[in-house]
Structures are given as structure tokens and as C-alpha cells.
Amino acid sequence: MSWPGTFKMAECGASGSGSSGDSLDKSITLPPDEIFRNLENAKRFAIDIGGSLTKLAYYSTVQHKVAKVRSFDHSGKDTERDHEPPYEISVQEEITARLHFIKFENTYIEACLDFIKDHLVNTETKVIQATGGGAYKFKDLIEEKLRLKVDKEDVMTCLIKGCNFVLKNIPHEAFVYQKDSDPEFRFQTNHPHIFPYLLVNIGSGVSIVKVETEDRFEWVGGSSIGGGTFWGLGALLTKTKKFDELLHLASRGQHSNVDMLVRDVYGGAHQTLGLSGNLIASSFGKSATADQEFSKEDMAKSLLHMISNDIGQLACLHARLHSLDRVYFGGFFIRGHPVTMRTITYSINFFSKGEVQALFLRHEGYLGAIGAFLKGAEQDNPNQYSWGENYAGSSGLMSTSPELGPAQRARSGTFDLLEMDRLERPLVNLPLLLDPPSYVPDTVDLTDDALARKYWLTCFEEALDGVVKRAVASQPDSVDAAERAEKFRQKYWNKLQTLRQQPFAYGTLTVRSLLDTREHCLNEFNFPDPYSKVKQRENGVALRCFPGVVRSLDTLGWEERQLALVKGLLAGNVFDWGAKAVSDVLESDPYFGFEEAKRKLQERPWLVDSYSEWLQRLKGPPHKCALIFADNSGIDIILGVFPFVRELLLRGTEVILACNSGPALNDVTHSESLIVAERIAGMDPVVHSALREERLLLVQTGSSSPCLDLSRLDKGLAALVRERGADLVVIEGMGRAVHTNYHAALCCESLKLAVIKNAWLAERLGGRLFSVIFKYEVPAE
């Protein structure tokens, strides 16, 4: 089976086993390069072949454009009168690493291997790591097609390695399944320390593994009664041979028609033992005495409950025996099917009396392939890096409602994709988080809040034209910019429509994830920094204003100056091109500046106003070291943040100024901040000496997002915070201090400040457009 230019696939279920009765007449045609992306730069392969699904993993190098800034030589020039841009911008090619994972039916394995063989160019290896039962069955075919030697890896080792990898690198990987909730998936914030945990793998049988460290785990128990038992007995009882069809039957069945319940034995609940009348007393108990035929649906449901309850009780006993409260379930029995997740969840909750949660994984199907890849790449030590899910190239978790037949539960035809990008530096927790395990970055969960979800999805849809326009304008010399921008529009629009239908597709839906998805899609089509020229121009204008702003501040008395500095910080924060209310003003009024922004601000008392407490604190001893997370380029960083930084330095406080590693909207990047600081140092002796003496340090956050996740920060930043003993954290901007971190609890003093530049959000918070948040917090004794 092969395709010359496209994959033509029958539309079928997530597991790929559609029934003839449910088969659809339509088919999906996908270009293979949208599935096997960047294959020409693939370097290393791994494969996990199960009973019905193949999971392929490969590592590739991705070449994409990045906007670089470089300082001009301004020696001998009067920078205050110099109207040149403060730096030059160049777009360069950069190579980064990406992991690709593709899941498809075994039916397509030969065609897929043919396509891979025809497009391999730069592979560095002569070996392909293989795991899963099918690794033996398809060994000869793989070696013949790819001319690569198959190196078989242990199934359980691969599963554990894959599980560790996703738990460490994908923040919203684990979820609990709640039958009657909308949506039914409840994602868990990843614990910073993932070990120890219990992995219950339900394949043909059941294996229970205690995982203690990256490399230490042990098989602690199991059962021969597992997914194979359900499949085998189900086939005997119903004459249905396909696993998904059995689950579909079970989803429509009523087990109480077949099972003997407590009420059937005792006429109601068993009060002495505290057993509900609806509990199963005997699986299939009624079939021994009833003189009737039972439906296939009822027998399948009874069988599913019998096996799930057995597995749930076994998992609970082992969790208690080993004092573990995190139990992850995987294997083909689970595979994202609500009907199995529901019964497992009920069983665990019942037998543990709610003390143990059944946890499932978004990418459970990829664990073996990920583990096999990591085994083959050990010499490169991929675990020394942090990785991030690329939303632009990943399918996401799709709804698999049990009310739909297998054929209707479609995911991109029969192909499911996951892409992970290697990040430049390892990411770790901010050491100043009060309780890292309970930290949740996002203020509002749009998965839960239907009204907010509808508003923000519409908001991002309406902003799309402006983003496309800005992207094209950022590359005036590119002949294909408009075409690429249109492709970006289509891709991001499709993502938004997916999230309308399945808000849980990429974990918990938040304003942050919507912004990050947009940035991923822009990068996908080589728009690395659409606001680069806007930032360049605004930085130049603000630098020329800096000396005057500082002179004005220095004429004020101490108390008056403190309020002016804070108002300057807030006024600077108005200049956010990501806010439509602001971008409309900036587009229509080129003379809108710092003083105009001050006049836009809400008068005190502000919406959230802790300024009096902050002023009182400033009358005390200076802080040892302040960590400041900056927001926007131009007026914000130069006329708002730097005068505030200068005042702290004059008080004797060291300052760590943290800026994004990569671009997002008009947020200032680390490389831009270095040039800005250099220019300011040339005008101001306080900043000059602080940089020279390393009392002012400029660092990167490790992020390329308009928001801020304090659990995923650059390792170097975290080390510096410890080394300098930071005792004040300042977070500015709507994205960093309102959409995220508004409720973040720190073990030191903190300032969270922002101007609300969205009328809907302002009203929801009880204010109006340009209301002010000034939140000074001191940790409880």
C-alpha cells in the first residue's frame, strides 16, 4: 500500500479500529509532509508497535528564522539628540532540536515506512530502537524498508522513561476524569518532584510498577486479569471481535440487569457494613438464576465493571502498601476511552475512600515510543534539557465521548501528532515560591469558566486580522510574507475552533495558553518577532526621553518621588500592543506618549491599592536584592522600569532584571534589554556603576511568552536568586501579574502591578478600563 503524494485514510476512531457497521463513506486526505514533518532533517528513530497502533518517534533539526539585535557604535555621538535607531535588527537562520511523535494504525505501517525511506536524507544512525509486542512481528519489514537495524528495547523500561519525560516536561500532562463534569478532564499541576509514583499498565494483563527515581523502579505486582481478559471474554459473550466495539457496547449497557447488587441480596443497603444498595455484590450474579437472554450491551458493561473493579482494588492495595498517593494508569485498556477511565476512577475512589486519585496522561499512548527514543539517545543525554510542547504541530487531546461509535471518534484521520521543542536552557522552579507543589500560574481556568472562555476565544479571533497585518509589515522585503501570514491565520483560527469544541485539548485552557499557541503558530510560519520594528522605534524614542524623566524625578521630594516612580511604572505598562484598547490608540495617535498615558490612569484609590503599605515599607531598611520581571519594550522598560530600578540601587538594593529569552508581542527581550541598559548607562552614572559593579544584573527568564510561569524559569536565574538572597519580587504587566501570578504565594515580599487594558476584564474585576492593580504582599509570619 502506498500513496504518491497524499495519505488517503478512512476516517475512524482514535484507536483506529472502526467497525464495518459504523464505517463512514467519507475519507480524509492529508499531505504526508503535514504528518511526517521535517523528515528530511530526521537524525534518529524509535518505534513502538502495539496490537493495533504504531507509534513512531524521531528527532530532527529544525531551521527557522530568529530576529537578532546588535548595537550600533555610538562612540562620540550625543545620544540624546541622536535620532538613529538604538540598534540594528537582522533576521538570521537558527537550528534547534525537535522531537516528533506520530501515532497511526498498524494498517498503514508499510506505506509509512515507504514514505520515510523515500525522504530520509540526513539520518545519523544505522539503528532504530523498537519496543512493543509488534517489534518482533514487524522487525524484518522495518529492516528491509529503512535499511536500519532493529534494536529491541524492554517494554517496561521504555514506558517508565516515557512517563518520567512527559511528567517533567509537559505541565498539564496528568488529569483526573470526572464523569459528570463539563468538561470531564481535570488537569493537575505537575508536582516539581515527580517521584515516587505508581504506574499501573493495563495491557493484556496488568503490571504494577513502583517508580522511585529516573533509573530505579521495580515491578511490585500485577494480575492476569486485564485488557486481554476483557477482550477475550467479551468476544466469547458477545461474538464481537474488536476491542473498541466492545467498549462501545459497554457504554450503552446497564450492568444491573446482569450483576447482582447489594439491594438484590438484602432488599436495600447493608446498614451494618455501610454498603450502598447499588453496589455490585456479585458480577454476573443474575445470569445463574434468571431465565432470560441478556443483551450484548449489558454483558459488556458487567464485564467492564468486573475487571475495572478488580484492577482498581489491586492498585489501591499496592498504593497503600507503598504509601503512594499518585497512581498513573496507562496501557491499551485505557487509551483515552471515557468508559474505561470512568470505571477505573470509580473503583479507585471507592476502595481508597477518596484518599488515592486515579490519574491519566494526555500522551499515554506515546510513552513507549518516547522511552525507546530516549534509550537510543542516551549518549546525547536528552534529559539534561527541558522540552516544551509545540502546540502548532500537536494534535491535542480529543473528545472521545462513549456515546459515539468507534468510527465517529476521529482524530486527524487515523494520525495523531505530538511535537516537543528543545529549550535552550533547563527550566526550574523559582526558589522563592512559598509552596511549589501548590503553585498554579494561571488566575482563571477557561476550561471551567464558560463565560470567560467564550469571551477570550472571541477576543483572540477578532485580534487575528491585526496580528496578520503586523506580521506582514514586519517583513516588508519578503515576497512571500503575505502568503505565510495567511497560512498562520488559517492554522491559528483552526486551533481556536478546536478549543471552542474541546477546551481541554492542550491541558487547562487559559489566556496564557491561547497567547502561547499564537506565538507557536507565528514561529511555524517564520514570523519570529512581528513587533521587532515597533520595539526598535519605541526604544529609540524612549531613550531620548530618559534623561529628562530622571532630571524631573530628581527635583521631587522623597515621598513625592516614590509615588511618581510608581505612576511611571504604571504609565509605562499602558504601552502594550497586545491590548486592543491600547493598540487602537497607538495606531491612530502617533503622539500618544508617557505623559498622555499617566493621564489615562485611574486616580487613587486604585482598584487594588496597597501603595500606602509599600510607602511605609520604603521608610524601613533597604531590601537586599530585588528580582524584577519586566514587561514591554520602549516607554515601559526605559521610562517606567529603569527609573524604578535606579531608585532601588540608590537605596542600596541590588537588582536582578529578568526579561524574556525570546520575543512575544512587544515584550522586551533579554538581548534588547542589554542594549537598552548599555545606552542608559552612557547617560546615567548610577546605572553605569551598578552594571560595572554587578549590583545590577540582566538575565533571561527562559520564556518566550507574554505571561509568566514561575515553575519554569531559567536555571541560571534561579541560581542567581539564591546566590544574591533576593527578598523582593516585582512582577509588572497584565500578562505576568494578572492573567498569571495574581494569586502566587511567595516566601518574600512582592509587588504585583498592572494597568487593566481590557474593558471586559476590568468590569469583571469591579473596575473600568485603565484601572490600576497595585498589590504589595508580605508573607505571613
Side-chain angles (χ1 to χ4, degrees):
M1 184 190 298
S2 64
W3 299 268
T6 60
F7 285 109
K8 196 171 182 67
M9 299 166 288
E11 188 170 353
C12 63
S15 67
S17 51
S19 66
S20 57
D22 286 322
S23 62
L24 303 181
D25 293 329
K26 62 181 175 177
S27 62
I28 291 178
T29 301
L30 289 179
D33 58 358
E34 287 188 19
I35 298 168
F36 300 99
R37 286 155 47 96
N38 206 42
L39 192 61
E40 66 276 9
N41 293 315
K43 305 295 183 187
R44 187 176 288 115
F45 286 87
I47 197 165
D48 174 16
I49 308 175
S52 60
L53 291 175
T54 295
K55 285 78 69 177
L56 179 74
Y58 61 95
Y59 158 91
S60 78
T61 52
V62 180
Q63 196 168 28
H64 60 94
K65 288 182 169 58
V66 292
K68 297 282 188 181
V69 296
R70 185 170 67 87
S71 183
F72 289 121
D73 179 11
H74 285 280
S75 57
K77 293 187 180 179
D78 184 344
T79 55
E80 193 174 339
R81 290 197 301 269
D82 177 21
H83 284 246
E84 280 186 19
Y87 51 81
E88 62 177 330
I89 305 166
S90 61
V91 176
Q92 301 174 14
E93 296 287 340
E94 191 172 83
I95 293 176
T96 56
R98 180 173 288 174
L99 294 179
H100 306 255
F101 304 99
I102 304 159
K103 184 163 56 177
F104 53 88
E105 299 170 64
N106 289 352
T107 311
Y108 295 101
I109 189 167
E110 188 169 352
C112 291
L113 292 175
D114 279 333
F115 183 82
I116 293 166
K117 177 189 69 176
D118 293 342
H119 291 77
L120 276 183
V121 179
N122 297 317
T123 184
E124 294 174 347
T125 182
K126 299 301 177 189
V127 175
I128 181 169
Q129 263 61 38
T131 188
Y136 300 90
K137 179 180 177 183
F138 291 99
K139 174 180 179 293
D140 292 342
L141 180 66
I142 295 168
E143 291 186 337
E144 175 200 336
K145 295 286 186 184
L146 298 186
R147 306 281 196 271
L148 298 176
K149 180 179 177 294
V150 171
D151 190 354
K152 293 190 277 297
E153 300 289 351
D154 175 67
V155 172
M156 194 53 66
T157 301
C158 291
L159 282 173
I160 300 299
K161 278 190 170 291
C163 192
N164 293 343
F165 182 86
V166 296
L167 288 175
K168 284 191 302 183
N169 288 288
I170 302 180
H172 290 150
E173 175 61 29
F175 62 91
V176 296
Y177 183 81
Q178 297 179 336
K179 171 189 170 185
D180 298 318
S181 298
D182 181 21
E184 62 266 41
F185 302 97
R186 298 285 164 181
F187 290 93
Q188 308 294 291
T189 301
N190 275 10
H191 197 288
H193 307 293
I194 65 171
F195 305 110
Y197 66 84
L198 207 63
L199 179 63
V200 181
N201 190 58
I202 313 170
S204 298
V206 180
S207 290
I208 301 176
V209 183
K210 179 186 177 184
V211 185
E212 297 182 272
T213 68
E214 192 70 52
D215 300 306
R216 192 168 76 243
F217 59 88
E218 63 172 323
W219 186 89
V220 294
S223 171
S224 61
I225 301 172
T229 315
F230 174 71
W231 200 347
L233 282 177
L236 291 172
L237 288 168
T238 68
K239 309 303 179 190
T240 301
K241 296 294 185 183
K242 293 187 176 178
F243 186 81
D244 279 10
E245 290 179 34
L246 273 172
L247 286 175
H248 184 49
L249 288 173
S251 72
R252 294 182 296 174
Q254 179 54 260
H255 75 94
S256 59
N257 291 334
V258 181
D259 294 340
M260 188 176 291
L261 308 183
V262 168
R263 67 170 182 253
D264 296 321
V265 179
Y266 299 105
H270 193 298
Q271 302 294 344
T272 307
L273 297 178
L275 299 177
S276 159
N278 292 323
L279 285 178
I280 299 170
S282 174
S283 295
F284 288 92
K286 290 179 180 175
S287 62
T289 56
D291 186 18
Q292 67 181 79
E293 290 290 323
F294 296 101
S295 74
K296 292 179 179 181
E297 289 83 356
D298 293 346
M299 289 190 291
K301 187 63 168 280
S302 175
L303 183 61
L304 180 66
H305 276 291
M306 181 179 81
I307 290 168
S308 297
N309 287 337
D310 184 64
I311 294 169
Q313 184 171 33
L314 196 60
C316 268
L317 291 171
H318 281 287
R320 285 181 164 170
L321 182 64
H322 298 281
S323 302
L324 298 173
D325 58 1
R326 278 176 284 173
V327 184
Y328 299 102
F329 288 85
F332 88 84
F333 184 70
I334 303 294
R335 212 168 55 195
H337 288 289
V339 68
T340 55
M341 291 192 293
R342 182 189 304 171
T343 50
I344 289 286
T345 298
Y346 176 84
S347 174
I348 285 283
N349 188 60
F350 175 79
F351 288 113
S352 73
K353 294 182 169 60
E355 293 176 8
V356 178
Q357 274 192 321
L359 294 165
F360 306 96
L361 301 171
R362 276 177 59 210
H363 300 105
E364 178 275 325
Y366 294 109
L367 301 187
I370 293 171
F373 173 83
L374 293 173
K375 282 285 289 179
E378 282 177 341
Q379 68 269 30
D380 296 332
N381 194 12
N383 278 321
Q384 72 179 308
Y385 302 101
S386 290
W387 299 78
E389 183 176 3
N390 180 355
Y391 297 139
S394 299
S395 303
L397 179 68
M398 299 300 183
S399 175
T400 51
S401 169
E403 283 69 41
L404 299 178
Q408 285 81 25
R409 287 191 271 107
R411 304 185 185 202
S412 304
T414 52
F415 287 77
D416 194 83
L417 313 176
L418 166 65
E419 290 184 355
M420 303 281 289
D421 286 330
R422 192 177 78 190
L423 308 179
E424 286 185 23
R425 306 277 292 273
L427 302 182
V428 297
N429 278 308
L430 177 68
L432 300 173
L433 283 173
L434 184 63
D435 181 32
S438 66
Y439 168 69
V440 177
D442 303 285
T443 306
V444 178
D445 180 350
L446 303 182
T447 325
D448 261 347
D449 191 330
L451 188 64
R453 179 170 73 243
K454 181 180 178 182
Y455 170 77
W456 285 111
L457 285 169
T458 302
C459 188
F460 278 89
E461 286 173 358
E462 291 174 349
L464 197 46
D465 283 345
V467 178
V468 169
K469 180 182 173 185
R470 180 63 55 191
V472 174
S474 71
Q475 298 180 6
D477 301 325
S478 172
V479 294
D480 67 341
E483 181 186 347
R484 286 185 285 112
E486 199 52 46
K487 289 180 179 177
F488 153 73
R489 180 208 300 274
Q490 194 58 53
K491 183 146 206 170
Y492 188 55
W493 175 268
N494 289 341
K495 293 285 180 187
L496 292 174
Q497 304 323 302
T498 295
L499 291 167
R500 279 196 185 276
Q501 300 302 316
Q502 290 131 204
F504 45 78
Y506 297 100
T508 301
L509 182 63
T510 62
V511 172
R512 174 167 62 105
S513 67
L514 289 170
L515 286 164
D516 290 350
T517 302
R518 187 168 69 185
E519 293 300 321
H520 292 185
C521 292
L522 281 166
N523 282 314
E524 181 78 14
F525 296 103
N526 276 322
F527 293 106
D529 193 355
Y531 291 85
S532 56
K533 287 181 167 46
V534 173
K535 291 187 290 181
Q536 181 193 44
R537 184 180 68 249
E538 292 184 348
N539 282 333
V541 170
L543 282 167
R544 290 191 287 276
C545 297
F546 179 80
V549 169
V550 169
R551 281 196 300 269
S552 175
L553 286 166
D554 286 347
T555 64
L556 302 175
W558 182 84
E559 196 158 317
E560 192 181 358
R561 187 167 71 250
Q562 304 315 307
L563 181 59
L565 285 163
V566 166
K567 284 187 174 179
L569 262 178
L570 293 165
N573 191 244
V574 168
F575 291 84
D576 180 356
W577 280 86
K580 191 173 185 303
V582 175
S583 62
D584 286 349
V585 171
L586 297 177
E587 292 273 16
S588 60
D589 182 2
Y591 299 104
F592 184 85
F594 193 41
E595 295 305 319
E596 287 79 6
K598 286 180 185 176
R599 289 194 287 273
K600 284 274 187 186
L601 297 178
Q602 174 191 18
E603 293 293 326
R604 291 193 66 203
W606 295 321
L607 183 60
V608 176
D609 194 334
S610 308
Y611 177 73
S612 298
E613 291 84 347
W614 170 246
L615 185 65
Q616 193 61 36
R617 171 62 184 86
L618 290 179
K619 294 174 181 176
H623 296 90
K624 186 174 189 299
C625 177
L627 168 62
I628 301 177
F629 291 99
D631 189 4
N632 305 305
S633 277
I635 287 175
D636 193 357
I637 182 77
I638 294 166
L639 304 186
V641 173
F642 263 99
F644 186 80
V645 165
R646 182 176 176 271
E647 184 76 11
L648 289 174
L649 292 168
L650 287 168
R651 280 174 55 82
T653 299
E654 293 182 345
V655 175
I656 301 169
L657 183 59
C659 301
N660 268 9
S661 298
L665 295 171
N666 67 315
D667 292 5
V668 63
T669 63
H670 173 61
S671 56
E672 290 161 353
S673 73
L674 293 174
I675 295 173
V676 164
E678 173 197 331
R679 294 289 303 278
I680 289 175
M683 297 183 271
D684 187 84
V686 176
V687 173
H688 182 271
S689 62
L691 284 170
R692 189 183 68 244
E693 297 162 9
E694 295 189 346
R695 291 182 292 110
L696 170 58
L697 299 147
L698 279 66
V699 297
Q700 55 184 311
T701 61
S703 170
S704 299
S705 170
C707 297
L708 180 64
D709 182 350
L710 296 176
S711 68
R712 286 173 69 81
L713 291 177
D714 185 272
K715 192 175 183 179
L717 168 58
L720 196 58
V721 164
R722 285 195 189 91
E723 178 192 314
R724 296 299 174 107
D727 54 356
L728 171 66
V729 174
V730 181
I731 307 175
E732 66 136 351
M734 250 174 63
R736 291 167 180 79
V738 179
H739 290 313
T740 53
N741 298 305
Y742 189 74
H743 300 302
L746 303 175
C747 57
C748 68
E749 295 172 50
S750 64
L751 264 183
K752 299 167 188 174
L753 49 104
V755 177
I756 306 301
K757 295 155 297 223
N758 177 284
W760 182 88
L761 179 61
E763 185 179 347
R764 203 172 222 225
L765 293 172
R768 295 181 300 174
L769 193 63
F770 299 112
S771 288
V772 168
I773 303 286
F774 188 92
K775 193 177 185 187
Y776 170 58
E777 294 176 304
V778 180
E781 291 293 334

